[in-house]
Amino acid sequence: MSRTKKLFAALIAVIMILSVLPVAAAPAVFGGSEKVHVYTDEENAILDNGVLADIQAVKNASALKKGGIEKMKEADYIALIPEVIKKIESSDTYVKGTLQQNGNFLVWMTTVGIPCCFDPRMEAELHNTEDAPTPAEIAAVEAEAEALLDKVTELRGGSPTSKNIGLIQPYWESSSSYNDSSFLNYSPKYKTTWQNLYNATGGQGIRYSMSNATVDNIASTMVQCGLVIFDSHGTTDYSGSNEDYTSRANSSYLCLITNSGVTSTDTAAHTGTYGTYYDCIKGSGYAYVNGQCIANHMSGSAPHSMLYMGICLGMSTDRMFAPLRDKGVEVVYGYSQSVTFTGELKSIQSIMAYIQQGMEAGAAIEQSQTDLGCQWDPAYPNYTETQAKNNKVAFPVVASSEDTYPGHGNVDCVLTAHSTWTLFGESYTVTATSNNTSWGTVSVSGTTITASPKTGYYAAGYTVTSGTATVVQNGNTFTVTPSSDCTVRINFAAKTQYTVNFVASGTAQGSQTAYSGDAITLPSSVNVNPDGWTFKGWVANQVAETTDKPTFYNAGASYTVTANATLYALYTRIEEGTGAAGYQLVDTIENGGKYIIVDSTSTSGTSGYAVGNTIVANSHYLNAVSVTINSDETCTVSSSNEAKVVWVAASSGSGWTFFNEAVSKYMGLDSSEYLYPSSTPLAWAYTVDQFLDNQTDSEGYYYLSYDSTNGRYTTSKNGNAIDLYQYLTGGTTYYTTDPVAVTPNEYTVTFKDWDGTVLKAETVVEGGSATAPANPTREGYTFTGWDPANLNNITADTVFTAQYTINSYTLTINYVK
């Protein structure tokens, strides 16, 4: 044993730090009640062969130049500090982020939980005298180290500052509603584990499932919860064929069934060792997100929490956990490979049961593996370690301030978990007050404050009036991370009230008053409706007649009030015959009209989805067919698909049926199933939820719903509103806020007899029908009709001529003899 270690052994009974020496690995490093630490073989190996040996080599190299270690002065050791720091930070035994420096004094943490220090003054004194340092000198070193170690211990182990427990379950909701049946018997037990945990902490249970498990909600959960569980599928970006994908992937991902909230920043391309990768892989109705993507959406730091990833491949790379560790997550548990449902369920139930009992995370993981009989996926307890590795069995991997990630491509290994993190730490009381209870009241649940503003007021911010804490505001919810008992005052303030006036073609249509930030419902109709024009919605500025579609708010839509404003009614009309024939967006249905029915979320210049005539399920003719939505409010469909999406409307008196001539089938099961319009012209929808209005088929399904996850219309109830595009022989749409009633064209219709005699003349408006006179007579002839025969849809001056057939007679001759 070296002289330095001997000296350390002599002083360890009173927990002193000397030179490059390890400090007893205990939650409280200093204090006379601490016991002498007995080093394990693993810890001695670190002392002999780890970063301490690297630093000793640096000292020895310098000593050779000085003529011996006894010739080294304090200034010589000070000169070595940059190289010492370099050796510390490059060592496999160093816990990243734990190095603390005060002047020339260094303290850091090793991967087995042993704090170490380097003190140039003590180094010089130890190697230049056979006497031990004086008590005063030791006390000075102790005080300096204690201050730095306080910072180190904040970065390792410890406990969360939040009692809330989070659960993310994108693929399962209940026994009767799940996205992936593989989770049917698996995820309910996760939910029970989650409930047991938040009941034990006394915090809130925050859970998001199915399409509610968005990246924003996951990020919010990471900020609010002391322990978060991912119960989902996991994947990597690996695309090779023969290589080991755990060593070839650039990133690991959590799989979601929604891409809501994903931004262009999330989907930007990055260059990794094995090619291009993304923080989010976004698809139609799904997203795969890594830790960086989640971290980008977090409004604050995690509360020194634990993340348990019950997903495949979550730790196959460091891009799932490392960004979240940087945001304050203390310990992350996951798997190197694809893990079995049954094996992972055994692991989480065992590990969380021990954590719930107050056991340290590392000890809970180690004890769980002992109980389950192996240190890999417990579905394979009879495998040897070699068999587990060869068969790509999932190995647990832990990353924390006390557990070093084994490294890319080295994740299939038996781990020893060291994390001293516990679920239950020092508890602080959060008290909330209101700056004015007549403006708003507050309530507290654990470390979450909920503000309840009175009408006309809002939660404008907060003030920590006693104690210390950080607070994150999200609307009326305040998430508090206390570092002592604290009081937080919620500051309510009065909202500004604004008036929105409505004008239709110069005529006032009333007004609505609301507070700033509140939403109003725009009027769905107006009392000024000039002939030839259709009310469409509301615009912020007056619009002269134009064919350029302005930006507008739909009638009946929600409008957020931010200032006094005047909104003007926008009108449209379609002038037929002046544009190309095609499918034009319309506001009403005509009997016998031909329509393409399109998902209303389809935007201009993009592909949309039209309702097709092919069976989806249970004889429902509702598949989705791709169409293009144009900026001039027309819809374009390829000639090969046109017959699939054109539906002929027929009025039932109270609703409309839609019939597809190509397959002779109705939209529903039969012609008695109707489509009813809502009060908003273009929102043919099911009440306020934007599904079709009040229609069920004989099997109990709402029909004509659009499933964005699968990119088709289905018979389920998760759809969008629809738009109707009618086939017109040619039309141009005009927009204005100042419509002038359109006078229809009038045409002269003349009825003439066979000899040119005018029997009747009348004026008919364009598109109207002519009224024939009484049928004329002609001796020896029978009247048969008019030429032309169709008296409807008059579009020009027209002459109708009476048509006859000559009578024939039978002549009988009788002869008289």
Side-chain angles (χ1 to χ4, degrees):
M1 182 180 289
S2 71
R3 180 165 175 259
T4 301
K5 287 187 181 177
K6 289 179 181 177
L7 179 59
F8 176 78
L11 297 176
I12 192 66
V14 291
I15 314 301
M16 299 303 175
I17 301 177
L18 298 175
S19 189
V20 185
L21 298 176
V23 181
V29 176
F30 296 98
S33 63
E34 297 291 348
K35 297 180 180 179
V36 174
H37 182 81
V38 179
Y39 294 104
T40 65
D41 290 341
E42 182 180 19
E43 291 169 338
N44 274 319
I46 290 224
L47 295 176
D48 291 334
N49 304 312
V51 66
L52 302 187
D54 294 338
I55 295 174
Q56 189 63 47
V58 171
K59 295 191 295 182
N60 291 342
S62 179
L64 284 175
K65 296 178 181 179
K66 297 292 182 180
I69 195 75
E70 68 279 357
K71 300 290 183 68
M72 294 278 287
K73 306 296 184 184
E74 182 178 354
D76 298 323
Y77 288 107
I78 292 174
L80 296 179
I81 286 177
E83 184 132 3
V84 169
I85 291 175
K86 191 179 298 184
K87 291 293 185 183
I88 294 170
E89 293 183 333
S90 64
S91 173
D92 291 338
T93 65
Y94 166 65
V95 177
K96 180 182 176 183
T98 62
L99 179 63
Q100 301 292 318
Q101 181 174 2
N102 183 20
N104 298 319
F105 193 87
L106 308 178
V107 173
W108 69 95
M109 192 68 66
T110 61
T111 52
V112 292
I114 303 175
C116 295
C117 74
F118 179 82
D119 178 27
R121 180 172 57 85
M122 192 64 71
E123 286 280 357
E125 191 161 334
L126 284 171
H127 293 295
N128 283 280
T129 177
E130 290 297 324
D131 299 325
T134 67
E137 290 172 330
I138 293 173
V141 174
E142 180 185 49
E144 191 170 8
E146 183 172 9
L148 294 182
L149 281 170
D150 283 344
K151 297 182 179 180
V152 173
T153 53
E154 288 176 4
L155 300 173
R156 60 184 290 270
S159 302
T161 56
S162 171
K163 298 179 181 179
N164 299 334
I165 309 296
L167 176 59
I168 306 300
Q169 293 186 296
Y171 287 85
W172 182 86
E173 172 53 36
S174 69
S175 60
S176 61
S177 173
Y178 49 84
N179 186 273
D180 185 339
S181 60
S182 301
F183 287 80
L184 182 59
N185 296 314
Y186 171 70
S187 292
K189 297 179 178 64
Y190 263 67
K191 188 175 180 182
T192 299
T193 298
W194 165 71
Q195 291 169 330
N196 291 339
L197 287 167
Y198 71 73
N199 285 333
T201 64
Q204 290 182 315
I206 299 175
R207 174 175 173 265
Y208 291 104
S209 64
M210 305 289 281
S211 59
N212 287 323
T214 64
V215 66
D216 286 321
N217 284 338
I218 293 170
S220 175
T221 303
M222 297 305 302
V223 172
Q224 296 183 66
C225 295
L227 189 153
V228 179
I229 299 169
F230 286 173
D231 172 25
S232 179
H233 287 300
T235 189
T236 73
D237 63 0
Y238 173 73
S239 59
S241 56
N242 298 317
E243 300 288 343
D244 176 3
Y245 54 73
T246 63
S247 64
R248 296 277 299 175
N250 285 302
S251 184
S252 311
Y253 298 94
L254 172 69
C255 301
L256 310 178
I257 67 167
T258 175
N259 57 32
S260 175
V262 170
T263 68
S264 58
T265 300
D266 300 327
T267 57
H270 304 283
T271 300
T273 304
Y274 304 106
T276 301
Y277 75 94
Y278 307 85
D279 292 332
C280 174
I281 300 173
K282 179 182 179 182
S284 177
Y286 72 89
Y288 301 154
V289 298
N290 68 12
Q292 188 61 60
C293 182
I294 296 170
N296 290 344
H297 289 254
M298 290 174 64
S299 61
S301 297
H304 204 73
S305 55
M306 177 178 182
L307 171 61
Y308 184 99
M309 296 193 295
I311 66 175
C312 297
L313 298 161
M315 301 292 273
S316 61
T317 75
D318 63 358
R319 286 200 173 93
M320 190 72 228
F321 73 85
L324 297 176
R325 287 269 297 117
D326 290 342
K327 292 289 285 188
V329 176
E330 166 57 20
V331 55
V332 182
Y333 175 98
Y335 294 99
S336 65
Q337 302 279 355
S338 294
V339 65
T340 63
F341 278 90
T342 56
E344 210 305 288
L345 181 59
K346 290 179 181 179
S347 292
I348 187 173
Q349 289 180 317
S350 176
I351 292 170
M352 290 304 155
Y354 284 122
I355 285 178
Q356 187 177 323
Q357 294 169 18
M359 189 177 287
E360 292 177 350
I365 293 165
E366 293 291 307
Q367 186 60 53
S368 171
Q369 292 178 344
T370 300
D371 295 346
L372 297 174
C374 63
Q375 293 178 286
W376 44 85
D377 186 338
Y380 303 97
N382 297 323
Y383 274 16
T384 65
E385 182 179 342
T386 300
Q387 287 174 319
K389 291 180 179 179
N390 290 342
N391 288 280
K392 303 301 181 189
V393 172
F395 281 77
V397 180
V398 178
S400 74
S401 64
E402 298 159 291
D403 297 276
T404 301
Y405 180 64
H408 200 135
N410 300 308
V411 286
D412 289 327
C413 60
V414 171
L415 67 85
T416 299
H418 301 98
S419 175
T420 57
W421 181 93
T422 61
L423 181 61
F424 305 97
E426 188 171 2
S427 178
Y428 299 115
T429 299
V430 175
T431 303
T433 62
S434 168
N435 66 325
N436 189 326
T437 56
S438 63
W439 293 357
T441 58
V442 295
S443 60
V444 182
S445 177
T447 59
T448 301
I449 301 173
T450 300
S452 299
K454 298 295 180 67
T455 301
Y457 297 88
Y458 71 105
Y462 63 90
T463 303
V464 179
T465 58
S466 69
T468 55
T470 58
V471 183
V472 176
Q473 179 181 1
N474 183 11
N476 289 327
T477 301
F478 296 78
T479 303
V480 183
T481 303
S483 50
S484 69
D485 291 343
C486 62
T487 300
V488 179
R489 184 183 69 221
I490 305 304
N491 300 319
F492 294 96
K495 291 182 176 181
T496 303
Q497 199 169 46
Y498 295 113
T499 299
V500 180
N501 297 300
F502 301 98
V503 176
S505 190
T507 302
Q509 302 292 298
S511 63
Q512 293 187 46
T513 300
Y515 293 105
S516 177
D518 288 354
I520 62 173
T521 299
L522 298 176
S524 57
S525 62
V526 293
N527 58 21
V528 179
N529 294 289
D531 289 341
W533 292 89
T534 300
F535 168 63
K536 190 173 185 66
W538 299 95
V539 289
N541 298 294
Q542 292 179 290
V543 177
E545 187 170 316
T546 179
T547 58
D548 295 329
K549 181 181 178 181
T551 300
F552 66 95
Y553 304 98
N554 285 325
S558 178
Y559 174 83
T560 300
V561 177
T562 58
N564 292 324
T566 298
L567 297 182
Y568 301 91
L570 180 69
Y571 296 85
T572 64
R573 68 179 176 87
I574 298 175
E575 186 174 300
E576 293 190 47
T578 61
Y583 295 93
Q584 178 78 43
L585 183 66
V586 293
D587 297 326
T588 58
I589 299 178
E590 295 180 0
N591 195 40
K594 295 183 177 182
Y595 297 88
I596 296 177
I597 303 172
V598 180
D599 168 25
S600 66
T601 61
S602 303
T603 57
S604 172
T606 66
S607 292
Y609 291 99
V611 181
N613 64 12
T614 305
I615 293 174
V616 172
N618 303 323
S619 300
H620 297 264
Y621 292 78
L622 299 172
N623 70 309
V625 176
S626 179
V627 296
T628 299
I629 309 302
N630 304 309
S631 59
D632 60 353
E633 296 194 331
T634 61
C635 172
T636 304
V637 60
S638 66
S639 58
S640 61
N641 286 333
E642 188 169 7
K644 298 178 183 178
V645 296
V646 176
W647 298 85
V648 179
S651 175
S652 69
S654 56
W656 298 88
T657 62
F658 284 87
F659 180 78
N660 186 271
E661 295 176 324
V663 292
S664 298
K665 295 292 183 180
Y666 287 90
M667 185 173 297
L669 292 177
D670 56 53
S671 60
S672 66
E673 294 176 336
Y674 307 123
L675 171 64
Y676 287 76
S678 71
S679 59
T680 305
L682 287 181
W684 294 75
Y686 172 70
T687 63
V688 296
D689 298 321
Q690 292 196 330
F691 304 110
L692 288 188
D693 190 3
N694 199 30
Q695 290 302 290
T696 61
D697 60 33
S698 58
E699 296 173 337
Y701 295 99
Y702 288 86
Y703 67 91
L704 195 61
S705 292
Y706 177 68
D707 179 355
S708 59
T709 299
N710 297 309
R712 67 179 188 186
Y713 283 84
T714 73
T715 55
S716 61
K717 290 176 61 179
N718 58 336
N720 296 313
I722 60 170
D723 287 336
L724 302 175
Y725 290 81
Q726 183 181 6
Y727 183 79
L728 300 174
T729 57
T732 301
T733 301
Y734 291 86
Y735 305 86
T736 188
T737 55
D738 189 21
V740 176
V742 177
T743 302
N745 294 325
E746 294 182 338
Y747 300 102
T748 300
V749 175
T750 305
F751 291 88
K752 294 184 177 181
D753 208 345
W754 64 277
D755 59 358
T757 303
V758 176
L759 302 174
K760 179 183 178 181
E762 65 177 353
T763 300
V764 177
V765 298
E766 184 173 7
S769 299
T771 303
N775 293 344
T777 60
R778 178 182 178 188
E779 186 175 356
Y781 292 82
T782 298
F783 175 75
T784 58
W786 301 97
D787 181 26
N790 185 9
L791 278 64
N792 300 319
N793 194 26
I794 302 300
T795 59
D797 292 339
T798 306
V799 174
F800 292 91
T801 302
Q803 303 295 302
Y804 297 89
T805 57
I806 191 169
N807 295 334
S808 62
Y809 300 94
T810 300
L811 177 63
T812 302
I813 302 174
N814 296 315
Y815 295 94
V816 178
K817 293 182 180 180

